[in-house]
């Protein structure tokens, strides 16, 4: 009876040891695969964001607005001055028509001004 108990303990230990050792390599392979997938996914996101930011060939953001027509309400873009807006919109009296502009040199992106284009007969 003692030998039956001893052999049962040995068999139980072998089964426990073999089951834990067989799941360990599978677990590490699955962990490595999931980490690999996470790293690849993050790398792809990083590459896509760098590629998207490098595709902008404009020297400044407001460049896309330089060719727009002058409306009655005009929002100053980055890199614009009252002189360039006046030339573009054919309105030499921007400062006189906009009493909120106290200093013509203090123009910033996002400033809203009123434009009254004069008709040119060239």
């Amino acid at each position: 009876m003692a030998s039956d108990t001893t052999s049962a303990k040995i068999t139980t230990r072998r089964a426990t040891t073999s089951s834990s050792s067989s799941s360990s390599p599978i677990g590490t392979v699955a962990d490595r695969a999931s980490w690999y997938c996470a790293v690849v996914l993050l790398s792809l996101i990083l590459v896509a964001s760098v590629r998207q930011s490098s595709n902008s060939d404009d020297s400044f953001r407001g460049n896309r607005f330089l060719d727009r027509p002058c409306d009655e309400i005009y929002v100053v873009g980055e890199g614009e001055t009252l002189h360039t807006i006046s030339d573009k919109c054919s309105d030499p009296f921007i400062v006189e028509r906009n009493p909120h502009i106290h200093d013509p040199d203090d123009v910033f992106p996002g400033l809203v001004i009123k434009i009254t284009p004069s008709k040119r007969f060239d």
Side-chain angles (χ1 to χ4, degrees), residues 2 14 18 54 57 66 75 80 99 106:
R14 284 184 189 162
S18 65
S54 68
D57 57 348
L66 290 179
V75 179
E80 292 183 312
D106 189 24

Side-chain angles (χ1 to χ4, degrees), residues 19-116:
S19 68
S20 66
S21 65
S22 66
S23 67
S24 178
I26 293 172
T28 58
V29 170
D31 288 340
R32 286 182 184 170
S34 66
W35 276 107
Y36 177 75
C37 289
V39 168
V40 168
L41 182 64
L42 288 174
S43 300
L44 288 173
I45 291 170
L46 179 65
V47 167
S49 67
V50 168
R51 188 178 270 180
Q52 183 181 14
S53 66
S54 68
N55 282 343
S56 65
D57 57 348
D58 296 338
S59 58
F60 54 89
R61 261 191 146 170
N63 195 22
R64 65 175 176 242
F65 297 115
L66 290 179
D67 296 329
R68 70 177 178 205
C70 296
D71 295 327
E72 186 176 343
I73 302 298
Y74 187 86
V75 179
V76 177
E78 192 172 332
E80 292 183 312
T81 63
L82 287 181
H83 181 71
T84 59
I85 296 169
S86 175
D87 288 346
K88 181 171 126 179
C89 299
S90 303
D91 185 5
F93 304 107
I94 292 176
V95 176
E96 290 81 5
R97 292 188 179 118
N98 293 281
H100 62 280
I101 300 176
H102 301 290
D103 183 9
D105 295 326
D106 189 24
V107 177
F108 52 90
L111 178 68
V112 178
I113 58 177
K114 180 180 177 182
I115 301 287
T116 308

